[in-house]
Amino acid sequence: LLFRRFYSGSSSDDECTMYSDRNIINRRNVREDPHTAYRPDRDFLILEVTARVVAAAFEVLGMGNKIEQPKNLPIPVEVTTWDNLKKLQFLHKAAAMIVDKLVVDKEMMDETITSMISAQERQEIVNKIELNPDGRFPCRYPGCSKSFKYNGKSRKRHELSHDPPVDVSDNCDSIPTPAQVLPYKDGDDVFNYNTALLAEGLFFLNFLDAVKEGDGGRIIRQYKYLMLLCKSDDPHSTKYALESLYQLLLVNGALSEREAEVFTWNRSVNNHGGTGMNIPFDLEVEHSNNHIKQGINNLGVNVTEHAVTRIARAEKPTRTVFWNIDRSLQRSVRSGKHVATFPVKDLDELVKKLVDKGVFQYQEGRLYRHFLHFQRDPLKNLNMSKVYAWITDHKKKLSLGVKAR
């Protein structure tokens, strides 16, 4: 989703974009499709977001380099005598200044929230106006007494069967949301691109951190915004938007309180102990499959369904026995993860480029060639009326036990 929005092989002339940065630091293993090179693309994205966090701190705090004292938030002399909690509070204050200035756009957020509320209010008003005294939707053909429980396809199909047919255009869809009626102003593509990458990149890092910490509640909360991001990326991410919606519907309505608690928090596993050491369940399944494949390879020509089933069932107890033996013998077991040092040299080069170009200083008239008229708000063109109708439709499907397609 992020690479489709921010990365393009045709944007080498647009300075301070992801593809331009990729050429500067010579990251040849980065691909436009993350499915073909997930790990290199993920590491590159983390580097890009980190560079923009540092450059944003320079701009907001009034710093010229990493060793210079911030002008807009002076560091007290007695900071060395502070306890860790007080230092953390000061760090949070500095981070809040950056977030308020460059990550969260109040006007953009207010516009999105207003469009959501207005879409829901319009739908509710239409429903209340059309309902008959029995709480059903009447046929809109004059003189027809037939009514329907839902304002759906059956009602519209019946109305079209009349002569002449009833105009069944959707009243909600015909009303443009505030985001649609605002004319585009010639702004700053460089500023919009980099602030958008900073905000959405931090959202991605927050999701990774929630998985590492095993914070199921934070993951579920992020699915709300992720659903809107995927929905705005139609038709590329339709299935992901639907999956995000069903996650929320299951937790907030379909499951019992106990089942919802398990569904929320049983999302990662920690095999080594310690904070921030959790991994997703799908990665744990991959580790389990690798262990099972080793046993299958040792079978040679004696591979049978019965033998493979025995190996699969004994996989977890066998791994536990091996782990206990290694611990009793005090044997050092190396992790399969290849730890690489953070590319500080590449980071410094990217930060210098971002600061020199003033990407976080709004200058009207700066235009990109490929990312021309770049929209900072990823939900700018999202029709909230249709999203509201889409959510309502799948709520009904879930209640009826109809599988989404």
Side-chain angles (χ1 to χ4, degrees):
L1 188 64
L2 291 176
F3 267 73
R4 187 180 300 112
R5 177 164 157 79
F6 294 101
Y7 188 94
S8 174
S10 304
S11 61
S12 57
D13 293 338
D14 296 339
E15 293 186 307
C16 299
T17 59
M18 288 185 64
Y19 187 74
S20 176
D21 293 345
R22 176 253 192 194
N23 293 339
I24 291 175
I25 61 176
N26 197 26
R27 286 291 183 95
R28 299 185 181 182
N29 57 348
V30 175
R31 298 288 182 267
E32 191 164 353
D33 183 8
H35 294 95
T36 60
Y38 171 74
R39 187 60 182 265
D41 283 9
R42 189 197 68 176
D43 293 343
F44 177 66
L45 178 60
I46 293 174
L47 176 63
E48 285 284 278
V49 177
T50 305
R52 278 152 182 82
V53 170
V54 176
F58 285 0
E59 175 65 27
V60 175
L61 301 180
M63 300 170 58
N65 52 61
K66 291 188 291 186
I67 62 175
E68 185 178 332
Q69 286 288 332
K71 300 182 181 63
N72 299 333
L73 186 65
I75 301 177
V77 180
E78 63 275 12
V79 68
T80 55
T81 62
W82 290 355
D83 57 22
N84 292 334
L85 178 60
K86 195 171 183 179
K87 291 179 181 178
L88 185 61
Q89 291 174 344
F90 186 82
L91 179 62
H92 285 174
K93 183 179 179 180
M97 291 178 61
I98 300 172
V99 171
D100 293 340
K101 183 71 179 294
L102 296 174
V103 177
V104 177
D105 189 323
K106 188 175 184 302
E107 293 182 1
M108 185 175 71
M109 297 294 291
D110 290 344
E111 181 181 313
T112 302
I113 293 173
T114 301
S115 64
M116 291 179 182
I117 295 175
S118 60
Q120 182 175 356
E121 289 176 342
R122 283 197 300 273
Q123 182 65 49
E124 291 177 351
I125 290 173
V126 170
N127 289 343
K128 289 179 181 179
I129 291 175
E130 293 187 345
L131 291 177
N132 62 16
D134 296 330
R136 296 172 64 86
F137 293 92
C139 173
R140 286 168 284 195
Y141 187 80
C144 182
S145 60
K146 193 171 181 61
S147 62
F148 300 85
K149 184 177 181 181
Y150 300 110
N151 182 24
K153 292 182 179 180
S154 297
R155 183 190 186 199
K156 294 180 181 180
R157 191 182 302 113
H158 170 76
E159 291 173 336
L160 290 173
S161 66
H162 288 289
D163 186 19
V166 180
D167 183 10
V168 292
S169 59
D170 195 334
N171 296 327
C172 288
D173 290 347
S174 62
I175 304 174
T177 62
Q180 293 172 306
V181 299
L182 290 176
Y184 177 80
K185 295 181 180 180
D186 192 17
D188 183 357
D189 287 346
V190 178
F191 178 83
N192 290 338
Y193 177 94
N194 285 278
T195 50
L197 179 56
L198 175 64
E200 295 177 45
L202 287 174
F203 174 78
F204 173 71
L205 296 185
N206 190 25
F207 196 91
L208 294 181
D209 182 70
V211 174
K212 288 182 179 180
E213 297 294 338
D215 193 345
R218 184 162 32 134
I219 295 174
I220 291 296
R221 289 195 300 272
Q222 291 186 88
Y223 269 120
K224 297 179 182 179
Y225 186 64
L226 182 61
M227 178 191 69
L228 295 177
L229 286 179
C230 294
K231 191 61 180 173
S232 65
D233 192 43
D234 270 350
H236 302 98
S237 304
T238 304
K239 295 296 184 182
Y240 292 107
L242 190 60
E243 180 63 25
S244 300
L245 173 62
Y246 271 73
Q247 297 265 338
L248 299 173
L249 294 179
L250 289 173
V251 171
N252 295 294
L255 299 178
S256 66
E257 185 176 351
R258 178 182 177 85
E259 291 172 334
E261 183 77 7
V262 173
F263 185 79
T264 300
W265 294 98
N266 195 24
R267 290 177 170 270
S268 58
V269 59
N270 191 332
N271 293 322
H272 302 287
T275 58
M277 298 291 290
N278 290 55
I279 61 173
F281 264 133
D282 55 351
L283 183 58
E284 170 65 11
V285 171
E286 291 294 331
H287 293 166
S288 175
N289 290 340
N290 289 335
H291 188 85
I292 293 174
K293 287 177 182 178
Q294 294 177 21
I296 295 175
N297 291 335
N298 292 331
L299 291 176
V301 297
N302 300 317
V303 177
T304 62
E305 182 178 353
H306 179 68
V308 172
T309 302
R310 288 186 60 191
I311 292 175
R313 290 177 177 175
E315 179 263 334
K316 189 170 183 179
T318 304
R319 289 173 64 183
T320 304
V321 170
F322 288 163
W323 184 80
N324 289 333
I325 293 174
D326 291 336
R327 186 180 61 173
S328 62
L329 296 177
Q330 298 182 351
R331 177 176 175 266
S332 175
V333 181
R334 296 182 58 187
S335 174
K337 180 180 178 182
H338 299 281
V339 180
T341 57
F342 192 80
V344 179
K345 183 179 178 180
D346 292 343
L347 177 65
D348 292 340
E349 190 171 357
L350 293 178
V351 170
K352 184 177 183 303
K353 181 79 171 179
L354 295 170
V355 173
D356 291 343
K357 294 298 179 181
V359 297
F360 293 117
Q361 299 173 3
Y362 187 85
Q363 302 174 26
E364 190 169 346
R366 290 191 297 184
L367 300 177
Y368 276 144
R369 181 178 178 181
H370 178 77
F371 294 105
L372 183 64
H373 301 321
F374 188 87
Q375 293 285 358
R376 180 181 179 183
D377 184 5
L379 309 180
K380 182 75 174 179
N381 299 319
L382 185 61
N383 190 322
M384 291 300 173
S385 297
K386 292 185 178 180
V387 172
Y388 181 77
W390 173 74
I391 293 175
T392 304
D393 177 55
H394 283 287
K395 285 166 60 178
K396 294 178 181 177
K397 289 182 178 179
L398 183 64
S399 64
L400 296 173
V402 178
K403 184 177 181 182
R405 293 189 295 271

